[in-house]
């Protein structure tokens, strides 16, 4: 809600400033953009530099790629579009992303690009108001419809969907409704009602609400009622010197409150704060905010020419250098070998990095063409099948994908993510060819989401040749937290005493029923050997997961030692 209120206030104030200068013929488009840069960017880029330094000490190397990608779009004030396609805003992964909050600033800067152009083009206030009214109604209707069509994340971060909130502030500014006698005479009632709307909204709305959409309009109306009631007691109260000072430093508070919480969450792997932690975080936020305000934001805002551009250019250069040097230093000083924290086997036949169908295992002594396919869980089991193949005289061909397993009949048009859709379109012809040529097909995928593939699996089974056999491997368990982040090493740190919850995900009936009813398919169940995971995510005090859901190479090889006999029992059935 704070975001929506801020957008309304921003539209209200900035449009008034621009319009006043246009009326006096003193408005300069370039000057406006430079003023916005001076006001916003230096403190912002300073925060990014400090976040890089904190990243060096807090984050683990396996999260470097995701952080760098998020930073790239954050640096360019386009993080709203990036984060719309990454994680749920209210999810655990987002809560530990120190740059997530920058999406609001990205939306604001993007709006500032075209707001003065609108005001320059449409000089007639009546025409402007009618245009903004109609546009806002269309945007609110469209965004509400998109939210109910399961596009909530894209609407939440979208400049277009949020523009209506800015426009409502602009409409309030140019309607001059605060000068109406009935508003002045009832200002206390109007502001009180506006405050009541905001309080009720704060209580009723939550992360599950279809927000922003039509619900954001409720919040915007509450904010407008307070804005236009300039003579009310509420406005008098919130204009006192203490709250005004908090407003003065609020930009710095905004910049620092989230990174401090996110880095702390990441380090502790805890998402709920105790009272002492809340007080400590508030104190750290205020200290960082005051330093940012008095050392960076306020001094540079008033500097002219070289006195501004030299330190500003230095910040830009330092940000760029941080990307290279900090990431290189992080990789070099890490005490965790990469094989424990990255997928590192069979990547040339996987997902977006696909180059060829790879062949692993030993010398093929069984005379059968074996194909191993699936999703990222199958990728982690390539060492598993490889080491068993070397011991038992068989080779196999393999290609895998992220999220969407490499089996036929998965329609790319059903994949919402454009990047994943392109990968699926690239892999589908290869998948089709490999399935036709294979004698034995081994499949592995994340069983918790396996219901999604039931139709495709059924079609695949129905289209098997008489001589083809299919083995479906049972899935391994997942964890409630990332052990690399928690343990900070690949050897178990006994002093941390970290508790992990292990979740054994069963293959759903929609999949198993297809296998139990056919003679040429078989489910290979490793669950009888679940004692292997008694000390997960460790095996003999050595890390065997590279995140909360995937075995690393070490874990895959140890898993093969435990389940080789069960696997070969299934393979021998397929060979006969």
């Amino acid at each position: 809600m704070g975001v929506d209120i801020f957008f309304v206030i921003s539209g209200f104030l900035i449009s008034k400033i621009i319009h006043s200068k246009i009326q006096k013929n003193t408005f300069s488009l370039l000057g406006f953009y430079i003023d916005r840069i001076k006001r916003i960017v230096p403190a912002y880029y300073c925060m990014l530099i400090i976040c890089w330094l904190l990243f060096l000490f807090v984050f683990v190397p396996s999260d470097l790629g995701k952080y760098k990608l998020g930073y790239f779009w954050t640096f360019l004030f386009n993080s709203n579009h990036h984060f719309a396609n990454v994680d749920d805003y209210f999810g655990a992964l987002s809560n530990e992303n120190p740059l997530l909050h920058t999406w609001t600033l990205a939306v604001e800067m993007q709006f500032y690009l075209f707001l003065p152009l609108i005001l320059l083009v449409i000089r007639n206030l009546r025409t402007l108001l009618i245009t903004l009214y109609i546009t806002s109604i269309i945007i609110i209707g469209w965004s509400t419809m998109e939210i109910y069509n399961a596009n909530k994340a894209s609407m939440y971060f979208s400049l277009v969907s949020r523009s209506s909130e800015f426009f409502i502030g602009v409409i309030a500014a140019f309607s001059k409704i605060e000068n109406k006698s009935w508003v002045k005479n009832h200002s206390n009632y109007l502001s009180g009602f506006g405050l009541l709307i905001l309080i009720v909204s704060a209580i009723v709305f939550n992360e599950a609400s279809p927000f922003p959409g039509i619900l954001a309009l409720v919040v915007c109306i509450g904010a407008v009622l307070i804005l236009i009631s300039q003579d009310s007691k509420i406005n008098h109260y919130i204009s006192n010197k203490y709250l005004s000072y908090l407003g003065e430093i609020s930009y710095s508070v905004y910049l620092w409150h989230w990174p401090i919480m996110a880095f702390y969450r990441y380090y502790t792997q805890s998402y709920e704060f105790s009272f002492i932690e809340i007080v400590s975080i508030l104190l750290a936020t205020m200290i960082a905010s005051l330093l940012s305000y008095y050392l960076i934001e306020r001094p540079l805002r008033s500097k002219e020419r070289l006195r501004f551009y030299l330190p500003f250019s230095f910040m830009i250069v330092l940000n760029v250098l941080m990307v290279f040097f900090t990431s290189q230093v992080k990789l070099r000083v890490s005490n965790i070998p990469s094989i424990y924290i990255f997928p590192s086997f069979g990547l040339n036949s996987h997902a977006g990095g696909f180059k060829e169908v790879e062949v692993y295992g030993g010398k093929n002594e069984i005379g059968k063409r074996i194909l191993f396919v699936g999703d990222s869980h199958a990728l982690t089991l390539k060492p598993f099948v490889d080491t068993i193949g070397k011991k038992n005289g068989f080779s196999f061909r393999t290609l895998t994908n992220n999220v969407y397993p490499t089996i036929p009949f998965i329609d790319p048009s059903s994949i919402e993510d454009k990047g994943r859709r392109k990968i699926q379109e690239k892999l589908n012809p290869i998948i089709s060819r490999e399935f036709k040529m294979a004698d034995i097909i081994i499949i592995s995928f994340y069983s918790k989401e396996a219901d999604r593939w039931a139709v495709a699996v059924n079609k695949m089974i129905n289209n098997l040749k008489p001589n083809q056999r299919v083995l479906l491997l049972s899935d391994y368990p997942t964890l409630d937290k990332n052990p690399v982040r928690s343990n900070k090493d690949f050897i178990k740190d006994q002093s941390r005493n970290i508790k992990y919850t292990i979740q054994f995900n069963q293959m759903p009936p929609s999949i198993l029923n297809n296998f139990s009813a056919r003679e040429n398919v078989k489910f290979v169940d490793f669950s009888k050997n679940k004692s292997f995971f008694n000390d997960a995510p460790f095996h003999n005090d050595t890390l065997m997961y590279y995140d909360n859901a995937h075995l690393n190479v070490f874990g895959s090889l140890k898993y093969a030692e435990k389940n080789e006999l069960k696997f070969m029992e299934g393979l021998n059935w397929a060979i006969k």
Side-chain angles (χ1 to χ4, degrees):
M1 279 178 51
V3 172
D4 310 276
I5 295 169
F6 171 76
F7 286 165
V8 172
I9 296 173
S10 185
F12 184 85
L13 294 176
I14 298 298
S15 61
K16 277 193 170 186
I17 293 170
I18 295 173
H19 181 69
S20 176
K21 289 185 176 182
I22 291 175
Q23 293 292 94
K24 297 174 184 178
N25 291 320
T26 59
F27 179 75
S28 164
L29 190 62
L30 179 61
F32 172 78
Y33 291 146
I34 291 174
D35 285 345
R36 291 296 88 201
I37 290 172
K38 282 185 173 182
R39 174 72 179 87
I40 291 172
V41 182
Y44 179 73
Y45 279 177
C46 180
M47 181 269 295
L48 294 183
I49 293 169
I50 301 299
C51 281
W52 267 114
L53 294 175
L54 290 171
F55 168 87
L56 182 62
F57 294 100
V58 177
F59 272 51
V60 295
S62 54
D63 287 323
L64 175 60
K66 182 180 286 188
Y67 185 84
K68 285 177 71 172
L69 184 60
Y71 164 82
F72 174 77
W73 293 114
T74 299
F75 181 79
L76 297 178
F77 288 94
N78 197 32
S79 56
N80 57 319
H81 292 114
H82 170 67
F83 293 134
N85 298 311
V86 178
D87 297 314
D88 172 26
Y89 185 76
F90 298 97
L93 292 178
S94 292
N95 281 337
E96 58 189 29
N97 180 349
L99 304 179
L100 180 70
H101 68 312
T102 63
W103 76 269
T104 61
L105 196 57
V107 170
E108 183 185 7
M109 290 293 276
Q110 292 160 19
F111 182 77
Y112 288 159
L113 283 176
F114 70 81
L115 175 62
L117 299 176
I118 294 174
L119 300 182
L120 284 169
V121 172
I122 309 176
R123 299 291 183 96
N124 184 280
L125 287 184
R126 181 180 174 83
T127 304
L128 176 66
L129 287 172
I130 292 173
T131 302
L132 294 184
Y133 269 121
I134 295 173
T135 304
S136 297
I137 291 171
I138 293 172
I139 290 173
I140 292 171
W142 166 75
S143 62
T144 302
M145 184 175 64
E146 286 295 300
I147 289 170
Y148 281 102
N149 286 332
N151 290 326
K152 180 179 175 180
S154 59
M155 293 300 100
Y156 196 95
F157 293 96
S158 168
L159 167 65
V160 177
S161 69
R162 295 289 186 170
S163 292
S164 59
E165 299 169 18
F166 287 101
F167 288 152
I168 288 170
V170 178
I171 291 169
F174 291 146
S175 298
K176 298 181 180 179
I177 193 170
E178 70 270 19
N179 296 326
K180 304 292 184 181
S181 59
W182 66 271
V183 172
K184 290 184 176 181
N185 294 335
H186 301 88
S187 61
N188 285 328
Y189 295 108
L190 291 172
S191 61
F193 184 55
L195 182 61
L196 180 63
I197 289 174
L198 297 182
I199 292 172
V200 172
S201 298
I203 295 171
V204 174
F205 297 163
N206 56 45
E207 63 269 23
S209 302
F211 200 87
I214 192 72
L215 293 184
L217 180 60
V218 177
V219 177
C220 293
I221 290 173
V224 167
L225 289 175
I226 296 174
L227 274 175
I228 65 174
S229 307
Q230 296 179 358
D231 298 326
S232 68
K233 291 181 180 179
I234 290 176
N235 265 10
H236 177 73
Y237 173 75
I238 62 178
S239 299
N240 72 67
K241 62 180 182 180
Y242 302 108
L243 291 180
S244 293
Y245 178 73
L246 187 60
E248 180 68 19
I249 66 170
S250 62
Y251 176 55
S252 288
V253 174
Y254 154 78
L255 288 179
W256 285 105
H257 82 287
W258 187 266
I260 289 171
M261 288 193 294
F263 277 113
Y264 186 81
R265 284 184 178 122
Y266 185 99
Y267 185 80
T268 62
Q269 290 287 283
S270 175
Y271 302 102
E272 299 295 333
F273 300 137
S274 67
F275 177 76
I276 294 176
E277 288 172 328
I278 290 172
V279 172
S280 301
I281 289 169
L282 284 172
L283 183 61
T285 299
M286 290 307 299
I287 291 172
S289 302
L290 292 172
L291 289 173
S292 174
Y293 177 72
Y294 285 108
L295 297 180
I296 305 296
E297 181 186 341
R298 189 174 178 181
L300 288 183
R301 192 165 58 189
S302 59
K303 301 295 183 185
E304 298 293 336
R305 298 178 182 175
L306 284 179
R307 296 180 69 187
F308 170 77
Y309 291 111
L310 281 177
F312 180 61
S313 300
F314 176 74
M315 287 182 183
I316 293 175
V317 172
L318 195 56
N319 263 288
V320 174
L321 292 177
M322 280 283 182
V323 176
F324 178 77
F325 287 110
T326 308
S327 57
Q328 292 300 313
V329 169
K330 184 66 180 176
L331 291 172
R332 290 188 179 185
V333 301
S334 173
N335 61 339
I336 311 177
S338 61
I339 63 166
Y340 291 98
I341 57 175
F342 293 110
S344 56
F345 190 97
L347 296 178
N348 286 337
S349 56
H350 182 70
F354 181 87
K355 294 182 177 63
E356 61 181 351
V357 176
E358 294 180 290
V359 180
Y360 290 109
K363 184 178 179 181
N364 194 2
E365 299 173 355
I366 64 174
K368 298 287 185 179
R369 188 181 177 103
I370 300 174
L371 177 66
F372 181 50
V373 295
D375 59 10
S376 59
H377 279 219
L379 170 67
T380 64
L381 290 182
K382 287 179 183 180
F384 173 100
V385 184
D386 175 64
T387 189
I388 295 177
K390 285 182 169 67
K391 290 182 181 179
N392 294 274
F394 69 86
S395 64
F396 64 97
R397 299 169 64 81
T398 183
L399 72 156
T400 51
N401 193 13
N402 286 325
V403 182
Y404 297 87
T406 45
I407 59 176
F409 306 110
I410 293 181
D411 183 7
S413 64
S414 65
I415 302 174
E416 292 184 4
D417 185 274
K418 293 180 180 178
R420 297 196 191 282
R421 189 188 312 143
K422 288 182 179 179
I423 294 172
Q424 193 70 31
E425 289 171 347
K426 175 184 176 181
L427 295 179
N428 266 352
I430 305 167
I431 294 169
S432 179
R433 183 192 69 210
E434 291 294 325
F435 265 74
K436 289 178 181 177
M437 298 171 63
D439 298 311
I440 299 171
I441 301 158
I442 305 171
I443 303 174
S444 171
F445 46 66
Y446 182 39
S447 60
K448 190 174 182 179
E449 298 182 358
D451 272 322
R452 300 167 63 187
W453 324 124
V455 173
V457 169
N458 193 43
K459 287 184 179 179
M460 176 198 72
I461 293 173
N462 288 336
N463 283 271
L464 289 175
K465 298 176 183 177
N467 65 318
Q468 288 182 310
R469 298 289 183 270
V470 174
L471 296 177
L472 174 64
L473 306 184
S474 66
D475 196 15
Y476 54 79
T478 56
L479 310 165
D480 64 326
K481 56 177 68 73
N482 186 319
V484 182
R485 299 178 188 176
S486 302
N487 192 67
K488 307 289 190 298
D489 201 345
F490 71 102
I491 301 299
K492 188 175 184 179
D493 186 345
Q494 303 289 352
S495 65
R496 289 183 177 270
N497 194 30
I498 302 165
K499 303 296 183 183
Y500 297 91
T501 300
I502 304 171
Q503 183 175 358
F504 288 88
N505 301 306
Q506 303 299 319
M507 201 62 68
S510 59
I511 298 289
L512 290 181
N513 290 343
N514 287 328
F515 277 76
S516 62
R518 312 295 177 97
E519 293 183 355
N520 55 347
V521 297
K522 186 178 182 65
F523 177 62
V524 181
D525 189 1
F526 299 137
S527 62
K528 290 183 179 180
N529 293 324
K530 63 168 55 178
S531 60
F532 174 78
F533 295 99
N534 284 349
D535 194 33
F538 302 97
H539 180 77
N540 294 333
D541 289 344
T542 301
L543 189 68
M544 63 177 183
Y545 278 75
Y546 71 76
D547 63 15
N548 66 305
H550 297 91
L551 291 173
N552 58 29
V553 172
F554 170 78
S556 185
L557 293 175
K558 292 299 179 182
Y559 193 46
E561 291 178 9
K562 189 73 173 179
N563 292 288
E564 180 181 351
L565 292 177
K566 189 67 178 177
F567 177 87
M568 287 307 301
E569 178 186 310
L571 185 62
N572 289 329
W573 166 86
I575 293 171
K576 294 176 182 179

